[in-house]
Amino acid sequence: MTISTLALNDGNKVPWMAFGTGTVIFQKDAKDTVELAIANGFTHLDCAQIYKNEDSIGAALKTPGVPRSSLFVTTKLDRLQPGQTAKTALHTSLDKLGLDYVDLYLVHAPGFHEGQLKEVWKVMEECMREGLTKSIGVSNFGVEHLQEILEGAEVVPSVNQLEIHPYVWGCLQPVIALHKEHGIITSSYGGLSPLFRASGGPVDPVIEKIRARLESTRGKPVASSQVLNKWLQQHDILVVTTSTKVERIREYLDTSDVPDLTADEMLMIESAGAERHQSFFRTSIAWRG
């Protein structure tokens, strides 16, 4: 199964769906789960220093028959310790992952670097120039954070990873508009939260109605998670998702083969989502919105 790609503003390409290594395997040995994800077709791995499992992910990356060139590896910058820089932190990540470079390096959250965002971004740019990472970007950045680093930046962030699902869609429109202005790819985490963290909400009956229509059109099973992931994909969003269950992993990857939602169905999801504002992650800009 080939995963389609999105074009980054620096000329590189990124697989539209990534396997996340936080949440269910946060601070846990991720080797077996990551090996399972790779064996079933994931090529993009979304890591982070704060997840405290880069060493076990590195062990999974040594799996025979999986060339480095076939993988896209993202990691994210944690809070800096005294004397540490974004570059030295990346060197530590590379040692743990057993890699010479990552494909994408993100500033995990603006609140980790209050008053230092411009300085941190300059070092991120150095990491890219020196080949330690092919692309650089950010995560959990609102309009004001992006504007702060864009002023004087030599490299525009290629990605901004945010909590995105129908219950926060409305409040994200200003930052998504800024992304479009600068060619920044919008990436999502927590996209299935309405299903797994807030079941019984206003989007549920809408998702079920669309799921049934898609299943009838397709002639084979369609899951509720595929409806939400398809909604994200049709907005050209880079989706980060995860599971320890092989059936879920295969289900997520199968999303590309699900028929497209209609324009009306896309709006139905967004209208239902607008009935409730609910964020599930404290680092998210939607938590404050």
Side-chain angles (χ1 to χ4, degrees):
M1 180 183 297
T2 301
I3 300 175
S4 61
T5 59
L6 297 166
L8 299 179
N9 57 16
D10 58 14
N12 292 317
K13 293 182 178 181
V14 57
W16 84 272
M17 182 174 277
F19 186 78
T21 60
T23 54
V24 294
I25 48 176
F26 179 75
Q27 295 187 349
K28 296 178 181 178
D29 189 316
K31 181 176 183 293
D32 291 346
T33 305
V34 171
E35 286 180 343
L36 185 68
I38 293 172
N40 281 278
F42 269 101
T43 57
H44 183 177
L45 304 175
D46 183 84
C47 315
Q49 294 161 4
I50 201 171
Y51 299 162
K52 308 297 184 188
N53 56 13
E54 288 176 312
D55 50 352
S56 59
I57 294 168
L61 296 180
K62 294 181 175 66
T63 302
V66 182
R68 173 66 180 94
S69 59
S70 70
L71 298 174
F72 189 104
V73 180
T74 295
T75 198
K76 308 182 199 76
L77 175 66
D78 195 0
R79 290 180 176 86
L80 294 174
Q81 300 304 309
Q84 192 180 43
T85 68
K87 189 188 300 184
T88 60
L90 180 53
H91 275 295
T92 299
S93 287
L94 292 174
D95 287 344
K96 291 178 178 180
L97 292 166
L99 301 176
D100 296 323
Y101 67 92
V102 290
D103 297 275
L104 179 61
Y105 190 30
L106 306 178
V107 180
H108 203 145
F112 291 178
H113 313 283
E114 288 187 16
Q116 298 179 305
L117 286 179
K118 285 187 177 181
E119 291 82 357
V120 167
W121 189 250
K122 288 299 180 187
V123 181
M124 297 287 287
E125 292 175 336
E126 289 178 17
C127 291
M128 184 175 174
R129 282 195 298 270
E130 294 176 18
L132 301 174
T133 181
K134 290 188 174 181
S135 299
I136 53 176
V138 296
S139 180
N140 300 301
F141 272 49
V143 169
E144 69 278 16
H145 308 117
L146 283 170
Q147 288 175 335
E148 183 175 345
I149 63 168
L150 284 169
E151 184 181 354
E154 294 180 29
V155 179
V156 174
S158 61
V159 170
N160 186 13
Q161 188 180 117
L162 305 167
E163 177 188 5
I164 304 179
H165 48 76
Y167 292 145
V168 298
W169 183 247
C171 77
L172 295 178
Q173 293 314 296
V175 72
I176 290 174
L178 188 61
H179 291 175
K180 291 178 179 177
E181 181 182 340
H182 292 278
I184 299 169
I185 288 291
T186 303
S187 177
S188 74
Y189 65 84
L192 303 181
S193 294
L195 299 176
F196 299 134
R197 293 184 171 92
S199 61
V203 302
D204 285 23
V206 174
I207 295 295
E208 175 54 30
K209 181 179 180 180
I210 296 170
R211 187 206 64 75
R213 197 278 297 172
L214 291 171
E215 187 167 283
S216 176
T217 300
R218 188 185 192 194
K220 58 191 296 189
V222 172
S224 296
S225 64
Q226 291 177 314
V227 177
L228 273 182
N229 280 335
K230 196 72 181 181
W231 172 73
L232 291 164
Q233 183 186 28
Q234 287 180 230
H235 276 299
D236 294 323
I237 289 172
L238 194 174
V239 174
V240 179
T241 190
T242 193
S243 180
T244 58
K245 299 175 181 178
V246 66
E247 61 270 21
R248 289 281 190 196
I249 290 171
R250 291 171 179 168
E251 177 184 291
Y252 298 155
L253 289 169
D254 183 51
T255 299
S256 291
D257 290 334
V258 172
D260 282 353
L261 279 64
T262 65
D264 284 346
E265 288 171 337
M266 297 286 285
L267 288 173
M268 285 167 59
I269 291 173
E270 289 151 32
S271 296
E275 295 178 23
R276 169 186 289 182
H277 176 83
Q278 189 171 7
S279 170
F280 304 92
F281 302 89
R282 288 185 177 272
T283 54
S284 169
I285 63 172
W287 185 270
R288 305 184 295 277

